PDB file of all heavy atoms in Angstrom:
ATOM      1  N   HIS S 473     -18.417  -8.363   8.679  1.00 87.00           N
ATOM      2  CA  HIS S 473     -18.784  -9.744   8.468  1.00 87.00           C
ATOM      3  C   HIS S 473     -17.491 -10.518   8.704  1.00 87.00           C
ATOM      4  O   HIS S 473     -16.533 -10.344   7.965  1.00 87.00           O
ATOM      5  CB  HIS S 473     -19.231  -9.834   7.004  1.00 87.00           C
ATOM      6  CG  HIS S 473     -20.123 -10.959   6.700  1.00 87.00           C
ATOM      7  ND1 HIS S 473     -21.257 -11.221   7.414  1.00 87.00           N
ATOM      8  CD2 HIS S 473     -20.062 -11.895   5.721  1.00 87.00           C
ATOM      9  CE1 HIS S 473     -21.848 -12.288   6.898  1.00 87.00           C
ATOM     10  NE2 HIS S 473     -21.136 -12.715   5.871  1.00 87.00           N
ATOM     11  N   LEU S 474     -17.445 -11.334   9.757  1.00 90.00           N
ATOM     12  CA  LEU S 474     -16.185 -12.016  10.113  1.00 90.00           C
ATOM     13  C   LEU S 474     -16.285 -13.524   9.918  1.00 90.00           C
ATOM     14  O   LEU S 474     -17.291 -14.130  10.274  1.00 90.00           O
ATOM     15  CB  LEU S 474     -15.833 -11.756  11.581  1.00 90.00           C
ATOM     16  CG  LEU S 474     -15.696 -10.325  12.085  1.00 90.00           C
ATOM     17  CD1 LEU S 474     -15.352 -10.336  13.564  1.00 90.00           C
ATOM     18  CD2 LEU S 474     -14.623  -9.603  11.311  1.00 90.00           C
ATOM     19  N   GLY S 475     -15.247 -14.101   9.373  1.00 92.00           N
ATOM     20  CA  GLY S 475     -15.145 -15.546   9.312  1.00 92.00           C
ATOM     21  C   GLY S 475     -14.131 -15.982  10.346  1.00 92.00           C
ATOM     22  O   GLY S 475     -13.002 -15.513  10.337  1.00 92.00           O
ATOM     23  N   LEU S 476     -14.545 -16.849  11.281  1.00 93.00           N
ATOM     24  CA  LEU S 476     -13.626 -17.257  12.353  1.00 93.00           C
ATOM     25  C   LEU S 476     -13.442 -18.763  12.356  1.00 93.00           C
ATOM     26  O   LEU S 476     -14.363 -19.519  12.033  1.00 93.00           O
ATOM     27  CB  LEU S 476     -14.165 -16.819  13.715  1.00 93.00           C
ATOM     28  CG  LEU S 476     -14.301 -15.315  13.936  1.00 93.00           C
ATOM     29  CD1 LEU S 476     -15.746 -14.896  13.869  1.00 93.00           C
ATOM     30  CD2 LEU S 476     -13.699 -14.918  15.262  1.00 93.00           C
ATOM     31  N   GLU S 477     -12.248 -19.156  12.743  1.00 91.00           N
ATOM     32  CA  GLU S 477     -11.930 -20.579  12.830  1.00 91.00           C
ATOM     33  C   GLU S 477     -11.770 -20.929  14.306  1.00 91.00           C
ATOM     34  O   GLU S 477     -11.122 -20.196  15.047  1.00 91.00           O
ATOM     35  CB  GLU S 477     -10.631 -20.830  12.074  1.00 91.00           C
ATOM     36  CG  GLU S 477     -10.275 -22.285  11.945  1.00 91.00           C
ATOM     37  CD  GLU S 477      -8.911 -22.450  11.254  1.00 91.00           C
ATOM     38  OE1 GLU S 477      -8.337 -21.432  10.835  1.00 91.00           O
ATOM     39  OE2 GLU S 477      -8.444 -23.579  11.161  1.00 91.00           O
ATOM     40  N   PHE S 478     -12.364 -22.054  14.737  1.00 92.00           N
ATOM     41  CA  PHE S 478     -12.227 -22.441  16.144  1.00 92.00           C
ATOM     42  C   PHE S 478     -10.757 -22.666  16.488  1.00 92.00           C
ATOM     43  O   PHE S 478     -10.021 -23.304  15.743  1.00 92.00           O
ATOM     44  CB  PHE S 478     -12.972 -23.759  16.423  1.00 92.00           C
ATOM     45  CG  PHE S 478     -14.467 -23.641  16.317  1.00 92.00           C
ATOM     46  CD1 PHE S 478     -15.209 -24.615  15.670  1.00 92.00           C
ATOM     47  CD2 PHE S 478     -15.143 -22.559  16.872  1.00 92.00           C
ATOM     48  CE1 PHE S 478     -16.589 -24.513  15.568  1.00 92.00           C
ATOM     49  CE2 PHE S 478     -16.517 -22.448  16.778  1.00 92.00           C
ATOM     50  CZ  PHE S 478     -17.244 -23.424  16.119  1.00 92.00           C
ATOM     51  N   THR S 479     -10.339 -22.143  17.642  1.00 90.00           N
ATOM     52  CA  THR S 479      -8.995 -22.449  18.121  1.00 90.00           C
ATOM     53  C   THR S 479      -9.088 -23.276  19.402  1.00 90.00           C
ATOM     54  O   THR S 479      -8.166 -23.986  19.759  1.00 90.00           O
ATOM     55  CB  THR S 479      -8.202 -21.159  18.407  1.00 90.00           C
ATOM     56  OG1 THR S 479      -8.993 -20.280  19.204  1.00 90.00           O
ATOM     57  CG2 THR S 479      -7.817 -20.450  17.120  1.00 90.00           C
ATOM     58  N   ASP S 480     -10.238 -23.175  20.090  1.00 89.00           N
ATOM     59  CA  ASP S 480     -10.418 -23.947  21.313  1.00 89.00           C
ATOM     60  C   ASP S 480     -11.910 -24.149  21.562  1.00 89.00           C
ATOM     61  O   ASP S 480     -12.652 -23.196  21.751  1.00 89.00           O
ATOM     62  CB  ASP S 480      -9.763 -23.191  22.491  1.00 89.00           C
ATOM     63  CG  ASP S 480      -9.710 -24.056  23.743  1.00 89.00           C
ATOM     64  OD1 ASP S 480      -9.815 -25.302  23.607  1.00 89.00           O
ATOM     65  OD2 ASP S 480      -9.589 -23.485  24.840  1.00 89.00           O
ATOM     66  N   ILE S 481     -12.341 -25.381  21.518  1.00 88.00           N
ATOM     67  CA  ILE S 481     -13.732 -25.689  21.854  1.00 88.00           C
ATOM     68  C   ILE S 481     -13.717 -27.004  22.624  1.00 88.00           C
ATOM     69  O   ILE S 481     -13.191 -28.007  22.153  1.00 88.00           O
ATOM     70  CB  ILE S 481     -14.633 -25.714  20.592  1.00 88.00           C
ATOM     71  CG1 ILE S 481     -16.059 -26.112  20.951  1.00 88.00           C
ATOM     72  CG2 ILE S 481     -14.079 -26.568  19.472  1.00 88.00           C
ATOM     73  CD1 ILE S 481     -17.099 -25.729  19.902  1.00 88.00           C
TER      74      ILE S 481
END
Side-chain angles (χ1 to χ4, degrees):
Chain S
H473 203 51
L474 304 180
L476 297 105
E477 187 184 356
F478 292 137
T479 49
D480 190 20
I481 177 161

